[in-house]
Amino acid sequence: MNNIFPGLLRTYHLSNNEPLLLLKEMGRQDKVVLRRRGAQRLVSLTHPDHLKHVLITANDKYQKAPFLRNMWGPYFGEGLLSSSGYHWQKHRKVISPAFHIRMIEKYASEASRLSQRLRDDWSKKAKNGETIHLASDFATFALELVAHTVISGAMTREEIQQFAVDLNSVSSEIRLRDLAGIAHLFPQKPASKRRDAIAMVNTFAKKALERRRQSEDVVPDVLGLLLQAQTADDSDDFTDKDILDEVKTFFLAGFEVTSIVLSWSLYLLGQMDDQREKILSEIDQLPDAHSVTFDDLKNLGSLRRFIDEVMRLYPPGPIMSRQTIRDDEIDGIVIPKGCLVEMNVWQTHRHPDFWNDPEHFNPDRFLPENIRGRHKHAYLPFGSGPRTCIGKGMALMEIQLALATVLQKMTITPVTDQWPNFVSTFVMRPESSLPVKGILRENQAASKIRLANGL
């Protein structure tokens, strides 16, 4: 266990410049130790038992850390990401049907169509020897998924491309310092730039709401369910501002997590021949000229395990933060009201008591026989408890379906051997656009035949 816990100034420096080093210096904290970061009392937790206690067993004693609402509120208001209490409970209840398994199956056909379009665009670039930028292309793709599924018809493709730039500008301002609860203690971006970013996001959200109101279609997606609730509810629980806050929140959460996991997964797969061949052998069992469907995903176990391992080593949310709303006790240590609780998921996913050789990439960790008996809170890519990510099933469907569709026709290879640096924003994203070259599989097959014939 690391006993040298980073202080206030070092935490701020590392969160801005070297987020991975900060997560490592925070260390594995198996013992509950009350600390101070400036005037703030805090506890850092990494043991699955402790995370389960905060997220499930005693979750009524904790709330989303108020500093998150203060930092994110100007951008996303009181959406599910930042709200708590009655407001959060009522909104989550109304929105949940949009993520029922039947709706996810319905969304899958649109995800398949968009995945094929992305694959076709990349195939053209591969034929012309052009560079593909995974991170930026997957960001636009993930925004299109949101705009055609959970908030359908919200934007045109041209608007989505511009909105991707605007959202990237916003999300780049949300850094690990915010998740660690220290950003408000230091000077931030000039107010004028913040206002510009907020105005851009608000404009697109308002357009989405206006379009839906002008449409005669009744769609049971997030936006449709909120509008129905607004019409049926006699109270002020669902104002236009509430609906706009959720629209902005789902665009951010929907595009960030999906695009980053897709980017890391395909980038890593381009460097792991054995894993790639295992996954391709499963994909090749699908019928020729077959569009990957929701039902096909259950037969692509190697792909799912690969994605799970990517999210173990590169969790979308490396830190979860809560604050006690009344005194609690963990392992005999009193956690006083108002204490900041940081759950270092990055370290939990590397805890040697639950993961053998934790830095080694090994998708077989997620074979059924290896999952059996493992602590359920040793792996938390989407959180746990009442605040488990509402879009978990949706995101996993999109990620698997998109990768399988692309890999039917092509693979990729990085253009550099240098491993990209991390930038911790809303998620752990790469500092670069992850440039790669596409390789059409028909060309790979021809090359193998020529090699076999000694040509």
Side-chain angles (χ1 to χ4, degrees):
M1 184 180 78
N2 182 8
N3 293 312
I4 305 174
F5 200 77
L8 178 61
L9 291 176
R10 183 159 180 78
T11 296
Y12 185 75
H13 168 75
L14 294 179
S15 63
N16 280 326
N17 302 292
E18 298 181 76
L20 286 189
L21 183 55
L22 174 60
L23 292 168
K24 292 174 182 177
E25 284 197 10
M26 288 171 68
R28 178 164 56 88
Q29 307 292 328
D30 285 347
K31 291 184 178 180
V32 179
V33 179
L34 277 172
R35 308 175 188 274
R36 282 191 178 273
R37 183 182 287 145
Q40 175 69 65
R41 290 176 298 183
L42 70 92
V43 171
S44 180
L45 306 176
T46 57
H47 196 282
D49 286 346
H50 300 155
L51 271 59
K52 179 183 178 182
H53 176 89
V54 172
L55 298 172
I56 294 183
T57 308
N59 78 85
D60 60 326
K61 296 181 180 180
Y62 296 84
Q63 66 174 357
K64 199 87 169 182
F67 72 80
L68 293 175
R69 294 200 299 275
N70 296 335
M71 291 301 304
W72 298 353
Y75 297 108
F76 307 109
E78 288 288 310
L80 286 185
L81 191 65
S82 54
S83 63
S84 58
Y86 173 79
H87 181 96
W88 174 84
Q89 292 171 355
K90 186 146 190 176
H91 279 230
R92 175 124 180 173
K93 182 178 180 181
V94 166
I95 293 170
S96 289
F99 296 94
H100 189 276
I101 186 65
R102 290 193 298 271
M103 290 301 296
I104 293 175
E105 288 186 53
K106 183 178 179 181
Y107 299 146
S109 60
E110 191 64 20
S112 178
R113 182 184 71 81
L114 293 171
S115 297
Q116 291 175 59
R117 188 171 72 184
L118 176 68
R119 183 187 66 195
D120 292 343
D121 289 344
W122 282 358
S123 294
K124 292 175 185 177
K125 290 183 177 181
K127 287 180 181 178
N128 296 329
E130 298 176 40
T131 298
I132 295 168
H133 298 276
L134 293 183
S136 52
D137 285 358
F138 271 137
T140 302
F141 167 76
L143 269 181
E144 287 186 298
L145 284 171
V146 176
H148 287 84
T149 54
V150 295
I151 307 179
S152 60
M155 299 179 192
T156 65
R157 193 177 191 191
E158 292 71 25
E159 289 173 333
I160 288 168
Q161 290 171 341
Q162 179 58 49
F163 194 42
V165 175
D166 297 338
L167 265 186
N168 265 312
S169 173
V170 169
S171 64
S172 66
E173 290 306 299
I174 301 173
R175 309 297 288 267
L176 191 62
R177 61 174 185 251
D178 305 324
L179 304 183
I182 59 172
H184 61 291
L185 302 175
F186 295 89
Q188 300 300 309
K189 196 170 188 174
S192 60
K193 294 185 178 180
R194 280 170 55 93
R195 283 197 298 270
D196 289 344
I198 293 167
M200 288 185 294
V201 173
N202 281 337
T203 297
F204 279 109
K206 288 176 181 177
K207 281 184 180 180
L209 180 56
E210 289 167 5
R211 281 200 179 107
R212 181 61 63 87
R213 282 199 166 127
Q214 293 168 2
S215 173
E216 296 181 358
D217 297 334
V218 178
V219 184
D221 61 3
V222 168
L223 188 50
L225 290 170
L226 287 168
L227 286 170
Q228 288 176 30
Q230 186 183 56
T231 302
D233 202 290
D234 294 330
S235 69
D236 295 327
D237 288 331
F238 296 98
T239 65
D240 277 7
K241 179 184 179 303
D242 292 330
I243 295 174
L244 291 172
D245 288 347
E246 297 297 2
V247 169
K248 291 181 287 184
T249 296
F250 275 94
F251 268 114
L252 173 74
F255 110 94
E256 278 277 39
V257 174
T258 300
S259 65
I260 293 303
V261 175
L262 278 169
S263 299
W264 284 126
S265 296
L266 195 54
Y267 193 77
L268 285 166
L269 199 60
Q271 303 174 64
M272 299 181 177
D273 294 346
D274 56 337
Q275 297 295 333
R276 184 173 61 250
E277 292 306 314
K278 189 182 297 185
I279 290 169
L280 291 179
S281 67
E282 288 185 343
I283 292 173
D284 290 345
Q285 297 303 309
L286 301 176
D288 291 339
H290 174 76
S291 298
V292 183
T293 67
F294 181 83
D295 288 338
D296 291 326
L297 300 184
K298 63 180 180 293
N299 298 317
L300 302 177
S302 293
L303 177 62
R304 172 59 190 273
R305 291 189 291 275
F306 185 90
I307 294 166
D308 284 338
E309 180 70 345
V310 169
M311 292 192 294
R312 183 186 71 84
L313 285 172
Y314 308 103
I319 287 183
M320 293 186 287
S321 298
R322 296 289 188 270
Q323 188 175 50
T324 49
I325 55 177
R326 59 180 186 272
D327 289 356
D328 190 21
E329 184 177 310
I330 304 178
D331 286 355
I333 303 298
V334 174
I335 313 298
K337 178 181 177 181
C339 184
L340 177 63
V341 178
E342 294 177 344
M343 292 167 280
N344 188 341
V345 176
W346 183 275
Q347 289 286 355
T348 304
H349 284 188
R350 290 163 166 75
H351 199 299
D353 289 353
F354 304 94
W355 306 99
N356 293 326
D357 194 9
E359 294 294 343
H360 177 62
F361 191 96
N362 179 17
D364 285 349
R365 302 178 195 275
F366 294 94
L367 286 167
E369 59 269 27
N370 294 330
I371 293 176
R372 196 176 301 117
R374 182 182 295 146
H375 199 302
K376 291 184 179 179
H377 283 75
Y379 182 64
L380 299 173
F382 295 99
S384 179
R387 295 196 73 114
T388 299
C389 175
I390 195 172
K392 172 183 176 181
M394 177 75 172
L396 286 170
M397 176 275 289
E398 293 170 339
I399 294 164
Q400 292 176 87
L401 201 149
L403 290 175
T405 299
V406 169
L407 291 168
Q408 278 184 308
K409 301 296 183 183
M410 63 184 298
T411 60
I412 62 96
T413 185
V415 299
T416 175
D417 293 333
Q418 185 176 358
W419 184 251
N421 293 325
F422 284 87
V423 176
S424 181
T425 57
F426 178 66
V427 296
M428 292 296 287
R429 62 162 63 184
E431 190 174 42
S432 74
S433 64
L434 295 185
V436 300
K437 292 292 185 180
I439 304 172
L440 297 177
R441 292 187 62 198
E442 59 190 38
N443 293 343
Q444 286 180 315
S447 297
K448 287 180 179 179
I449 291 173
R450 286 196 296 271
L451 286 172
N453 293 328
L455 300 176

